[in-house]
Amino acid sequence: MFRDVSDVRDRCIGRSTHTLSHYVAGKLRCFLPYSKGMSRNLATLGGGEVWRSREEPQSELTEDIQKARMKDMPVEDMQNPFVREKTQCIMCRYKIVPDYKNVKLLSQFVSPYTGRVYGRHITRLCATQQARLEKEIMKSQSAGFMPYYFKDVAFVKDPKLFDPDHPIRPHRF
Amino acid sequence: MNFRERGSGDVNLSHPAQDMIQWKGFPDLLSTLRRSADAIFNKGGIIRKVENLGTRNLPYKMSAHDAVHKKGSYFVFQFICPPASLHDLEEEYGRDVDIIRRRIFKVEAPEEFECTLHEEILPPAYRYMPALGNDFIIVFFRYTA
């Protein structure tokens, strides 16, 4: 747990045996509270030495104090409690699977002016979902559920999932 | 009737279910449906369910068999059939005058995946950093349509 640095006199500066440092060294005892993975923090600067009186208090008290000191050490096996929640795209969050028959859902990601599918920088979907969505839209258009060149009139006033009019990068539609 | 589920190991019917959509002109709707169903049965298939998606204006004009169509009825047949007969089925539906458009899609359970949006919205310098644990390069940008 701790070791008695008995060669304290050697550590003291100077050779004279009647200086204050010698007196201090004679009266005090230095020990290093060890724990297996002692972290490098301010408490351990300077070698982590702790100077205590040579006159030891009761051994039980010392043990309790030692245990308490060990508890104060930083916890190593704890996960970061400040981890932020990962942002998810709207379709992953609500676990929506695009279907070629669900024209209303697919039309929400399509321009009302040209009928083109908005890019990922506008729809804010993750790559996989965007690829899925595009595939389903193509299927739907081919199968005759969804128009190609415009957005179905019935779905024009649907709630907007994103703002296509102020894109971070200009788009053609 | 005992329906054989997909993946049962049966050589004939191991193909997963298909969706077939047909658009039809108005006259003889029932007989057209009957004919389509019979075609599947004759090829050794089973129909799981038939859905009626209504009769409405088509999203765009379609021409089929020398006629232009603006209205149609939508039906979805979910069926299981041997894969070898799919080509014959398509050809048979192509010959049917009352069917405006037919499409056969494979029915598959959607793959499970994790949303990677939190990685994709990182600034460019942080998107691919093996030191931070990212093992992939994200192609952020792709022109569509």
Side-chain angles (χ1 to χ4, degrees), chain A residues 41-103:
Chain A
N41 51 30
L42 276 172
T44 59
L45 277 178
E49 296 167 355
V50 178
W51 291 83
R52 302 266 171 234
S53 166
R54 274 190 183 272
E55 293 148 6
E56 272 190 20
Q58 293 168 25
S59 56
E60 291 159 6
L61 201 58
T62 323
E63 268 182 42
D64 285 343
I65 290 169
Q66 212 55 40
K67 277 182 194 162
R69 273 197 215 118
M70 287 304 123
K71 279 183 194 166
D72 251 349
M73 291 302 212
V75 180
E76 280 154 45
D77 55 356
M78 188 169 72
Q79 281 180 3
N80 182 6
F82 301 108
V83 164
R84 262 189 245 166
E85 268 183 39
K86 291 183 178 175
T87 45
Q88 284 194 309
C89 67
I90 189 164
M91 292 183 92
C92 288
R93 208 188 320 148
Y94 299 111
K95 307 240 179 2
I96 299 168
V97 178
D99 189 28
Y100 65 93
K101 298 188 282 280
N102 188 356
V103 183

Short mmCIF file of all heavy atoms in Angstrom, two decimals, chain A residues 41-103:
data_model
loop_
_atom_site.label_atom_id
_atom_site.label_comp_id
_atom_site.label_asym_id
_atom_site.label_seq_id
_atom_site.Cartn_x
_atom_site.Cartn_y
_atom_site.Cartn_z
N ASN A 41 -2.55 13.08 -11.95
CA ASN A 41 -3.26 14.34 -11.75
C ASN A 41 -2.46 15.19 -10.78
O ASN A 41 -1.35 14.85 -10.39
CB ASN A 41 -4.68 14.10 -11.24
CG ASN A 41 -4.70 13.18 -10.04
OD1 ASN A 41 -3.74 13.15 -9.26
ND2 ASN A 41 -5.76 12.42 -9.91
N LEU A 42 -3.03 16.33 -10.38
CA LEU A 42 -2.28 17.28 -9.56
C LEU A 42 -1.78 16.66 -8.25
O LEU A 42 -0.73 17.00 -7.75
CB LEU A 42 -3.19 18.48 -9.22
CG LEU A 42 -3.22 19.58 -10.30
CD1 LEU A 42 -4.27 20.61 -9.95
CD2 LEU A 42 -1.87 20.24 -10.45
N ALA A 43 -2.61 15.73 -7.74
CA ALA A 43 -2.23 15.13 -6.46
C ALA A 43 -0.95 14.33 -6.58
O ALA A 43 -0.24 14.14 -5.60
CB ALA A 43 -3.37 14.23 -5.96
N THR A 44 -0.66 13.84 -7.77
CA THR A 44 0.53 12.99 -7.89
C THR A 44 1.72 13.73 -8.46
O THR A 44 2.76 13.14 -8.69
CB THR A 44 0.23 11.79 -8.81
OG1 THR A 44 -0.14 12.30 -10.08
CG2 THR A 44 -0.89 10.95 -8.25
N LEU A 45 1.55 15.03 -8.68
CA LEU A 45 2.71 15.80 -9.17
C LEU A 45 3.78 15.83 -8.10
O LEU A 45 3.48 15.91 -6.90
CB LEU A 45 2.28 17.24 -9.50
CG LEU A 45 1.63 17.47 -10.88
CD1 LEU A 45 1.23 18.90 -11.02
CD2 LEU A 45 2.59 17.08 -11.99
N GLY A 46 5.01 15.81 -8.55
CA GLY A 46 6.09 15.81 -7.56
C GLY A 46 6.32 14.43 -6.98
O GLY A 46 6.91 14.30 -5.92
N GLY A 47 5.83 13.42 -7.71
CA GLY A 47 6.09 12.06 -7.27
C GLY A 47 5.01 11.48 -6.42
O GLY A 47 5.04 10.31 -6.06
N GLY A 48 4.00 12.30 -6.09
CA GLY A 48 2.89 11.76 -5.31
C GLY A 48 3.26 11.49 -3.87
O GLY A 48 2.70 10.62 -3.21
N GLU A 49 4.19 12.21 -3.41
CA GLU A 49 4.63 11.94 -2.02
C GLU A 49 3.66 12.57 -1.04
O GLU A 49 3.10 13.63 -1.26
CB GLU A 49 6.01 12.56 -1.79
CG GLU A 49 7.09 11.95 -2.65
CD GLU A 49 8.35 12.79 -2.64
OE1 GLU A 49 8.33 13.89 -2.04
OE2 GLU A 49 9.33 12.38 -3.24
N VAL A 50 3.45 11.89 0.01
CA VAL A 50 2.66 12.44 1.11
C VAL A 50 3.52 12.36 2.36
O VAL A 50 4.05 11.30 2.69
CB VAL A 50 1.37 11.63 1.31
CG1 VAL A 50 0.58 12.16 2.49
CG2 VAL A 50 0.52 11.67 0.05
N TRP A 51 3.68 13.49 3.03
CA TRP A 51 4.51 13.53 4.24
C TRP A 51 3.61 13.45 5.47
O TRP A 51 2.71 14.24 5.65
CB TRP A 51 5.33 14.83 4.26
CG TRP A 51 6.38 14.84 3.19
CD1 TRP A 51 6.25 15.17 1.89
CD2 TRP A 51 7.74 14.45 3.35
NE1 TRP A 51 7.42 15.03 1.22
CE2 TRP A 51 8.36 14.59 2.09
CE3 TRP A 51 8.52 14.02 4.45
CZ2 TRP A 51 9.70 14.31 1.91
CZ3 TRP A 51 9.85 13.75 4.23
CH2 TRP A 51 10.43 13.89 2.97
N ARG A 52 3.88 12.46 6.26
CA ARG A 52 3.08 12.27 7.49
C ARG A 52 4.06 12.18 8.67
O ARG A 52 5.23 11.91 8.50
CB ARG A 52 2.28 10.97 7.42
CG ARG A 52 1.36 10.91 6.25
CD ARG A 52 -0.04 11.37 6.61
NE ARG A 52 -0.82 11.48 5.37
CZ ARG A 52 -1.46 12.58 5.00
NH1 ARG A 52 -1.45 13.64 5.75
NH2 ARG A 52 -2.13 12.59 3.89
N SER A 53 3.47 12.37 9.81
CA SER A 53 4.29 12.28 11.02
C SER A 53 4.76 10.85 11.24
O SER A 53 4.06 9.90 10.88
CB SER A 53 3.44 12.74 12.21
OG SER A 53 4.07 12.37 13.42
N ARG A 54 5.97 10.74 11.84
CA ARG A 54 6.48 9.39 12.10
C ARG A 54 5.68 8.68 13.15
O ARG A 54 5.62 7.47 13.19
CB ARG A 54 7.95 9.47 12.54
CG ARG A 54 8.89 9.50 11.35
CD ARG A 54 10.31 9.33 11.80
NE ARG A 54 11.18 9.43 10.64
CZ ARG A 54 11.50 8.39 9.86
NH1 ARG A 54 11.06 7.19 10.13
NH2 ARG A 54 12.27 8.57 8.82
N GLU A 55 5.05 9.48 14.02
CA GLU A 55 4.22 8.85 15.06
C GLU A 55 2.92 8.42 14.41
O GLU A 55 2.06 9.22 14.09
CB GLU A 55 3.94 9.86 16.19
CG GLU A 55 5.18 10.23 16.94
CD GLU A 55 5.15 11.67 17.46
OE1 GLU A 55 4.07 12.32 17.32
OE2 GLU A 55 6.16 12.14 17.97
N GLU A 56 2.80 7.14 14.24
CA GLU A 56 1.61 6.64 13.53
C GLU A 56 0.40 6.63 14.42
O GLU A 56 0.47 6.24 15.57
CB GLU A 56 1.88 5.20 13.07
CG GLU A 56 2.54 5.15 11.72
CD GLU A 56 2.56 3.71 11.20
OE1 GLU A 56 1.76 2.89 11.68
OE2 GLU A 56 3.37 3.44 10.32
N PRO A 57 -0.78 7.01 13.85
CA PRO A 57 -2.02 6.83 14.61
C PRO A 57 -2.41 5.36 14.60
O PRO A 57 -1.71 4.54 14.06
CB PRO A 57 -3.04 7.67 13.84
CG PRO A 57 -2.49 7.74 12.46
CD PRO A 57 -1.02 7.68 12.56
N GLN A 58 -3.57 5.06 15.19
CA GLN A 58 -3.97 3.65 15.25
C GLN A 58 -4.05 3.06 13.84
O GLN A 58 -4.49 3.72 12.92
CB GLN A 58 -5.35 3.53 15.92
CG GLN A 58 -5.33 3.91 17.37
CD GLN A 58 -6.74 4.07 17.92
OE1 GLN A 58 -7.67 3.46 17.37
NE2 GLN A 58 -6.90 4.85 18.95
N SER A 59 -3.70 1.86 13.73
CA SER A 59 -3.60 1.24 12.40
C SER A 59 -4.98 1.13 11.73
O SER A 59 -5.10 1.28 10.53
CB SER A 59 -2.95 -0.14 12.51
OG SER A 59 -3.69 -0.92 13.43
N GLU A 60 -6.07 0.90 12.54
CA GLU A 60 -7.40 0.75 11.92
C GLU A 60 -7.79 2.05 11.25
O GLU A 60 -8.33 2.07 10.16
CB GLU A 60 -8.43 0.41 13.00
CG GLU A 60 -8.23 -0.97 13.56
CD GLU A 60 -8.91 -1.11 14.93
OE1 GLU A 60 -9.60 -0.15 15.33
OE2 GLU A 60 -8.73 -2.14 15.55
N LEU A 61 -7.53 3.16 11.95
CA LEU A 61 -7.91 4.46 11.40
C LEU A 61 -7.19 4.70 10.08
O LEU A 61 -7.76 5.15 9.11
CB LEU A 61 -7.55 5.56 12.41
CG LEU A 61 -8.30 6.89 12.23
CD1 LEU A 61 -9.78 6.66 12.33
CD2 LEU A 61 -7.84 7.86 13.28
N THR A 62 -5.92 4.36 10.09
CA THR A 62 -5.15 4.56 8.87
C THR A 62 -5.75 3.77 7.71
O THR A 62 -5.87 4.25 6.60
CB THR A 62 -3.69 4.12 9.06
OG1 THR A 62 -3.29 4.46 10.37
CG2 THR A 62 -2.79 4.80 8.05
N GLU A 63 -6.18 2.54 8.03
CA GLU A 63 -6.74 1.70 6.94
C GLU A 63 -8.00 2.33 6.37
O GLU A 63 -8.20 2.37 5.16
CB GLU A 63 -7.07 0.32 7.49
CG GLU A 63 -5.93 -0.65 7.33
CD GLU A 63 -6.29 -2.05 7.84
OE1 GLU A 63 -7.41 -2.48 7.57
OE2 GLU A 63 -5.44 -2.65 8.50
N ASP A 64 -8.88 2.81 7.27
CA ASP A 64 -10.12 3.45 6.81
C ASP A 64 -9.83 4.64 5.93
O ASP A 64 -10.43 4.85 4.88
CB ASP A 64 -10.97 3.89 8.00
CG ASP A 64 -11.65 2.69 8.66
OD1 ASP A 64 -11.70 1.64 7.99
OD2 ASP A 64 -12.11 2.82 9.79
N ILE A 65 -8.88 5.43 6.42
CA ILE A 65 -8.52 6.63 5.67
C ILE A 65 -7.95 6.23 4.31
O ILE A 65 -8.26 6.83 3.28
CB ILE A 65 -7.49 7.48 6.45
CG1 ILE A 65 -8.18 8.12 7.68
CG2 ILE A 65 -6.90 8.56 5.55
CD1 ILE A 65 -7.23 8.73 8.65
N GLN A 66 -7.15 5.17 4.36
CA GLN A 66 -6.55 4.71 3.10
C GLN A 66 -7.61 4.25 2.11
O GLN A 66 -7.59 4.57 0.94
CB GLN A 66 -5.58 3.56 3.42
CG GLN A 66 -4.38 3.49 2.50
CD GLN A 66 -3.62 4.80 2.44
OE1 GLN A 66 -3.43 5.47 3.43
NE2 GLN A 66 -3.23 5.15 1.25
N LYS A 67 -8.61 3.53 2.63
CA LYS A 67 -9.70 3.04 1.76
C LYS A 67 -10.48 4.21 1.18
O LYS A 67 -10.81 4.24 -0.01
CB LYS A 67 -10.65 2.16 2.57
CG LYS A 67 -10.17 0.73 2.71
CD LYS A 67 -11.15 -0.12 3.48
CE LYS A 67 -10.49 -1.43 3.88
NZ LYS A 67 -11.20 -2.11 4.95
N ALA A 68 -10.74 5.20 2.05
CA ALA A 68 -11.47 6.37 1.57
C ALA A 68 -10.69 7.10 0.50
O ALA A 68 -11.25 7.57 -0.49
CB ALA A 68 -11.76 7.31 2.75
N ARG A 69 -9.38 7.16 0.72
CA ARG A 69 -8.54 7.83 -0.29
C ARG A 69 -8.57 7.10 -1.60
O ARG A 69 -8.60 7.71 -2.67
CB ARG A 69 -7.09 7.93 0.22
CG ARG A 69 -6.86 9.15 1.06
CD ARG A 69 -5.40 9.45 1.20
NE ARG A 69 -5.18 9.99 2.55
CZ ARG A 69 -4.42 9.44 3.48
NH1 ARG A 69 -3.76 8.34 3.23
NH2 ARG A 69 -4.31 9.98 4.67
N MET A 70 -8.60 5.78 -1.52
CA MET A 70 -8.65 4.98 -2.75
C MET A 70 -9.96 5.22 -3.47
O MET A 70 -10.02 5.24 -4.69
CB MET A 70 -8.48 3.49 -2.43
CG MET A 70 -7.05 3.13 -2.04
SD MET A 70 -5.86 3.60 -3.30
CE MET A 70 -4.79 4.63 -2.33
N LYS A 71 -11.04 5.41 -2.70
CA LYS A 71 -12.34 5.64 -3.34
C LYS A 71 -12.36 6.96 -4.10
O LYS A 71 -13.10 7.14 -5.04
CB LYS A 71 -13.44 5.66 -2.27
CG LYS A 71 -13.88 4.30 -1.84
CD LYS A 71 -15.03 4.40 -0.84
CE LYS A 71 -15.22 3.05 -0.16
NZ LYS A 71 -16.07 3.16 1.02
N ASP A 72 -11.54 7.87 -3.64
CA ASP A 72 -11.50 9.17 -4.29
C ASP A 72 -10.83 9.14 -5.64
O ASP A 72 -10.93 10.09 -6.41
CB ASP A 72 -10.75 10.15 -3.39
CG ASP A 72 -11.69 11.16 -2.79
OD1 ASP A 72 -12.85 11.21 -3.24
OD2 ASP A 72 -11.26 11.92 -1.91
N MET A 73 -10.11 8.06 -5.89
CA MET A 73 -9.40 7.97 -7.16
C MET A 73 -10.41 7.93 -8.30
O MET A 73 -11.53 7.51 -8.13
CB MET A 73 -8.54 6.71 -7.19
CG MET A 73 -7.37 6.79 -6.24
SD MET A 73 -6.35 8.21 -6.60
CE MET A 73 -4.78 7.61 -6.14
N PRO A 74 -9.99 8.41 -9.51
CA PRO A 74 -10.96 8.41 -10.62
C PRO A 74 -11.38 7.00 -11.01
O PRO A 74 -10.57 6.08 -11.04
CB PRO A 74 -10.19 9.07 -11.77
CG PRO A 74 -8.79 9.14 -11.34
CD PRO A 74 -8.73 9.04 -9.87
N VAL A 75 -12.68 6.87 -11.30
CA VAL A 75 -13.23 5.56 -11.69
C VAL A 75 -12.83 5.29 -13.13
O VAL A 75 -12.98 6.14 -13.99
CB VAL A 75 -14.76 5.57 -11.57
CG1 VAL A 75 -15.32 4.23 -11.97
CG2 VAL A 75 -15.18 5.94 -10.18
N GLU A 76 -12.30 4.11 -13.34
CA GLU A 76 -11.77 3.83 -14.68
C GLU A 76 -12.75 3.09 -15.59
O GLU A 76 -12.69 3.22 -16.79
CB GLU A 76 -10.48 3.02 -14.57
CG GLU A 76 -9.28 3.89 -14.25
CD GLU A 76 -8.21 3.09 -13.55
OE1 GLU A 76 -7.95 1.99 -14.02
OE2 GLU A 76 -7.66 3.57 -12.55
N ASP A 77 -13.66 2.29 -14.98
CA ASP A 77 -14.51 1.46 -15.84
C ASP A 77 -15.89 2.07 -16.05
O ASP A 77 -16.87 1.38 -16.26
CB ASP A 77 -14.64 0.05 -15.24
CG ASP A 77 -15.14 0.11 -13.79
OD1 ASP A 77 -15.29 1.23 -13.27
OD2 ASP A 77 -15.37 -0.96 -13.21
N MET A 78 -15.97 3.40 -15.98
CA MET A 78 -17.26 4.06 -16.17
C MET A 78 -17.36 4.58 -17.60
O MET A 78 -16.39 5.11 -18.13
CB MET A 78 -17.37 5.23 -15.19
CG MET A 78 -18.73 5.86 -15.16
SD MET A 78 -18.93 7.02 -13.80
CE MET A 78 -17.93 8.37 -14.33
N GLN A 79 -18.56 4.45 -18.19
CA GLN A 79 -18.75 5.01 -19.54
C GLN A 79 -18.96 6.51 -19.45
O GLN A 79 -19.42 7.02 -18.46
CB GLN A 79 -19.98 4.37 -20.17
CG GLN A 79 -19.70 2.99 -20.72
CD GLN A 79 -20.92 2.38 -21.33
OE1 GLN A 79 -21.96 3.02 -21.39
NE2 GLN A 79 -20.81 1.16 -21.78
N ASN A 80 -18.65 7.16 -20.53
CA ASN A 80 -18.77 8.63 -20.58
C ASN A 80 -20.24 9.03 -20.34
O ASN A 80 -21.10 8.73 -21.15
CB ASN A 80 -18.28 9.11 -21.94
CG ASN A 80 -18.33 10.61 -22.08
OD1 ASN A 80 -18.63 11.31 -21.12
ND2 ASN A 80 -18.04 11.09 -23.26
N PRO A 81 -20.54 9.72 -19.24
CA PRO A 81 -21.94 10.08 -18.99
C PRO A 81 -22.41 11.27 -19.80
O PRO A 81 -23.58 11.61 -19.80
CB PRO A 81 -21.94 10.43 -17.50
CG PRO A 81 -20.56 10.89 -17.23
CD PRO A 81 -19.65 10.15 -18.15
N PHE A 82 -21.50 11.93 -20.51
CA PHE A 82 -21.87 13.11 -21.28
C PHE A 82 -22.01 12.82 -22.76
O PHE A 82 -21.96 13.73 -23.56
CB PHE A 82 -20.82 14.22 -21.04
CG PHE A 82 -20.69 14.59 -19.59
CD1 PHE A 82 -19.56 14.21 -18.88
CD2 PHE A 82 -21.69 15.28 -18.94
CE1 PHE A 82 -19.44 14.53 -17.54
CE2 PHE A 82 -21.57 15.61 -17.60
CZ PHE A 82 -20.44 15.23 -16.91
N VAL A 83 -22.18 11.56 -23.09
CA VAL A 83 -22.33 11.21 -24.51
C VAL A 83 -23.65 11.76 -25.03
O VAL A 83 -24.69 11.61 -24.40
CB VAL A 83 -22.30 9.68 -24.68
CG1 VAL A 83 -22.82 9.27 -26.03
CG2 VAL A 83 -20.89 9.17 -24.50
N ARG A 84 -23.58 12.44 -26.16
CA ARG A 84 -24.79 13.03 -26.75
C ARG A 84 -25.61 11.97 -27.46
O ARG A 84 -25.08 11.00 -27.99
CB ARG A 84 -24.40 14.09 -27.77
CG ARG A 84 -24.44 15.50 -27.23
CD ARG A 84 -24.25 16.47 -28.35
NE ARG A 84 -23.02 17.19 -28.19
CZ ARG A 84 -22.46 17.92 -29.15
NH1 ARG A 84 -23.00 17.98 -30.33
NH2 ARG A 84 -21.34 18.57 -28.92
N GLU A 85 -26.92 12.19 -27.50
CA GLU A 85 -27.77 11.27 -28.27
C GLU A 85 -27.45 11.40 -29.74
O GLU A 85 -27.31 12.49 -30.25
CB GLU A 85 -29.25 11.64 -28.07
CG GLU A 85 -29.89 10.89 -26.94
CD GLU A 85 -31.36 11.22 -26.83
OE1 GLU A 85 -32.00 11.36 -27.89
OE2 GLU A 85 -31.83 11.36 -25.71
N LYS A 86 -27.36 10.27 -30.40
CA LYS A 86 -27.00 10.32 -31.83
C LYS A 86 -28.20 10.80 -32.62
O LYS A 86 -29.30 10.28 -32.47
CB LYS A 86 -26.60 8.91 -32.30
CG LYS A 86 -25.30 8.44 -31.71
CD LYS A 86 -24.91 7.08 -32.24
CE LYS A 86 -23.57 6.68 -31.66
NZ LYS A 86 -23.17 5.34 -32.03
N THR A 87 -27.97 11.78 -33.48
CA THR A 87 -29.09 12.26 -34.32
C THR A 87 -29.42 11.19 -35.35
O THR A 87 -28.53 10.57 -35.93
CB THR A 87 -28.70 13.54 -35.09
OG1 THR A 87 -27.41 13.34 -35.64
CG2 THR A 87 -28.70 14.75 -34.19
N GLN A 88 -30.72 10.98 -35.51
CA GLN A 88 -31.18 9.99 -36.49
C GLN A 88 -32.01 10.69 -37.54
O GLN A 88 -32.67 11.69 -37.27
CB GLN A 88 -32.06 8.94 -35.80
CG GLN A 88 -31.28 7.94 -34.99
CD GLN A 88 -32.14 6.77 -34.62
OE1 GLN A 88 -33.22 6.95 -34.10
NE2 GLN A 88 -31.67 5.57 -34.88
N CYS A 89 -32.01 10.15 -38.74
CA CYS A 89 -32.85 10.72 -39.77
C CYS A 89 -34.30 10.40 -39.42
O CYS A 89 -34.58 9.48 -38.66
CB CYS A 89 -32.48 10.19 -41.14
SG CYS A 89 -32.82 8.46 -41.39
N ILE A 90 -35.21 11.17 -40.03
CA ILE A 90 -36.62 11.09 -39.62
C ILE A 90 -37.20 9.71 -39.88
O ILE A 90 -38.05 9.22 -39.13
CB ILE A 90 -37.44 12.21 -40.32
CG1 ILE A 90 -38.85 12.28 -39.74
CG2 ILE A 90 -37.50 11.99 -41.83
CD1 ILE A 90 -39.57 13.54 -40.05
N MET A 91 -36.72 9.04 -40.93
CA MET A 91 -37.30 7.72 -41.22
C MET A 91 -36.75 6.64 -40.32
O MET A 91 -37.44 5.67 -40.02
CB MET A 91 -37.05 7.38 -42.69
CG MET A 91 -37.86 8.28 -43.61
SD MET A 91 -37.68 7.88 -45.33
CE MET A 91 -39.00 6.77 -45.56
N CYS A 92 -35.53 6.81 -39.88
CA CYS A 92 -34.97 5.82 -38.94
C CYS A 92 -35.56 6.01 -37.56
O CYS A 92 -35.79 5.06 -36.83
CB CYS A 92 -33.45 5.96 -38.86
SG CYS A 92 -32.61 5.37 -40.33
N ARG A 93 -35.81 7.27 -37.20
CA ARG A 93 -36.33 7.56 -35.86
C ARG A 93 -37.69 6.93 -35.65
O ARG A 93 -37.96 6.36 -34.59
CB ARG A 93 -36.41 9.07 -35.66
CG ARG A 93 -36.27 9.47 -34.21
CD ARG A 93 -36.52 10.93 -33.97
NE ARG A 93 -35.98 11.79 -35.00
CZ ARG A 93 -36.52 12.94 -35.40
NH1 ARG A 93 -37.62 13.37 -34.81
NH2 ARG A 93 -35.97 13.67 -36.33
N TYR A 94 -38.54 7.06 -36.64
CA TYR A 94 -39.90 6.51 -36.50
C TYR A 94 -40.05 5.16 -37.17
O TYR A 94 -41.16 4.66 -37.30
CB TYR A 94 -40.92 7.51 -37.09
CG TYR A 94 -40.91 8.84 -36.38
CD1 TYR A 94 -40.44 9.98 -37.00
CD2 TYR A 94 -41.33 8.94 -35.06
CE1 TYR A 94 -40.41 11.20 -36.34
CE2 TYR A 94 -41.30 10.15 -34.40
CZ TYR A 94 -40.84 11.27 -35.04
OH TYR A 94 -40.80 12.47 -34.39
N LYS A 95 -38.94 4.58 -37.59
CA LYS A 95 -38.91 3.24 -38.17
C LYS A 95 -39.89 3.12 -39.33
O LYS A 95 -40.76 2.24 -39.37
CB LYS A 95 -39.23 2.18 -37.10
CG LYS A 95 -38.38 2.26 -35.86
CD LYS A 95 -37.62 0.98 -35.66
CE LYS A 95 -36.70 0.92 -34.48
NZ LYS A 95 -36.56 1.98 -33.55
N ILE A 96 -39.76 4.04 -40.27
CA ILE A 96 -40.64 4.04 -41.45
C ILE A 96 -39.93 3.34 -42.57
O ILE A 96 -38.75 3.59 -42.84
CB ILE A 96 -40.98 5.49 -41.87
CG1 ILE A 96 -41.72 6.21 -40.74
CG2 ILE A 96 -41.81 5.50 -43.12
CD1 ILE A 96 -41.83 7.69 -40.96
N VAL A 97 -40.63 2.43 -43.22
CA VAL A 97 -40.10 1.74 -44.39
C VAL A 97 -40.86 2.26 -45.61
O VAL A 97 -42.08 2.15 -45.67
CB VAL A 97 -40.29 0.21 -44.28
CG1 VAL A 97 -39.79 -0.47 -45.52
CG2 VAL A 97 -39.59 -0.31 -43.04
N PRO A 98 -40.15 2.89 -46.55
CA PRO A 98 -40.87 3.39 -47.73
C PRO A 98 -41.39 2.24 -48.58
O PRO A 98 -40.71 1.24 -48.78
CB PRO A 98 -39.80 4.19 -48.48
CG PRO A 98 -38.50 3.64 -48.03
CD PRO A 98 -38.70 3.14 -46.64
N ASP A 99 -42.62 2.40 -49.06
CA ASP A 99 -43.25 1.38 -49.90
C ASP A 99 -43.70 2.04 -51.19
O ASP A 99 -44.18 3.18 -51.18
CB ASP A 99 -44.46 0.78 -49.16
CG ASP A 99 -45.01 -0.42 -49.88
OD1 ASP A 99 -44.23 -1.09 -50.59
OD2 ASP A 99 -46.21 -0.70 -49.75
N TYR A 100 -43.58 1.33 -52.30
CA TYR A 100 -43.94 1.94 -53.58
C TYR A 100 -45.43 2.25 -53.66
O TYR A 100 -45.86 3.09 -54.42
CB TYR A 100 -43.50 1.02 -54.73
CG TYR A 100 -44.23 -0.29 -54.79
CD1 TYR A 100 -45.37 -0.45 -55.55
CD2 TYR A 100 -43.78 -1.39 -54.06
CE1 TYR A 100 -46.04 -1.64 -55.60
CE2 TYR A 100 -44.44 -2.58 -54.10
CZ TYR A 100 -45.58 -2.71 -54.87
OH TYR A 100 -46.25 -3.91 -54.90
N LYS A 101 -46.24 1.57 -52.85
CA LYS A 101 -47.70 1.83 -52.89
C LYS A 101 -48.06 3.06 -52.06
O LYS A 101 -49.12 3.65 -52.25
CB LYS A 101 -48.46 0.61 -52.35
CG LYS A 101 -48.23 -0.64 -53.19
CD LYS A 101 -49.12 -1.77 -52.78
CE LYS A 101 -48.68 -2.50 -51.53
NZ LYS A 101 -47.64 -3.47 -51.67
N ASN A 102 -47.19 3.47 -51.16
CA ASN A 102 -47.49 4.59 -50.27
C ASN A 102 -47.03 5.88 -50.93
O ASN A 102 -46.00 6.45 -50.59
CB ASN A 102 -46.77 4.36 -48.94
CG ASN A 102 -47.17 5.37 -47.89
OD1 ASN A 102 -47.94 6.29 -48.17
ND2 ASN A 102 -46.66 5.20 -46.69
N VAL A 103 -47.87 6.36 -51.86
CA VAL A 103 -47.47 7.50 -52.68
C VAL A 103 -47.41 8.77 -51.85
O VAL A 103 -46.60 9.65 -52.08
CB VAL A 103 -48.45 7.68 -53.85
CG1 VAL A 103 -48.01 8.80 -54.75
CG2 VAL A 103 -48.54 6.39 -54.64
#
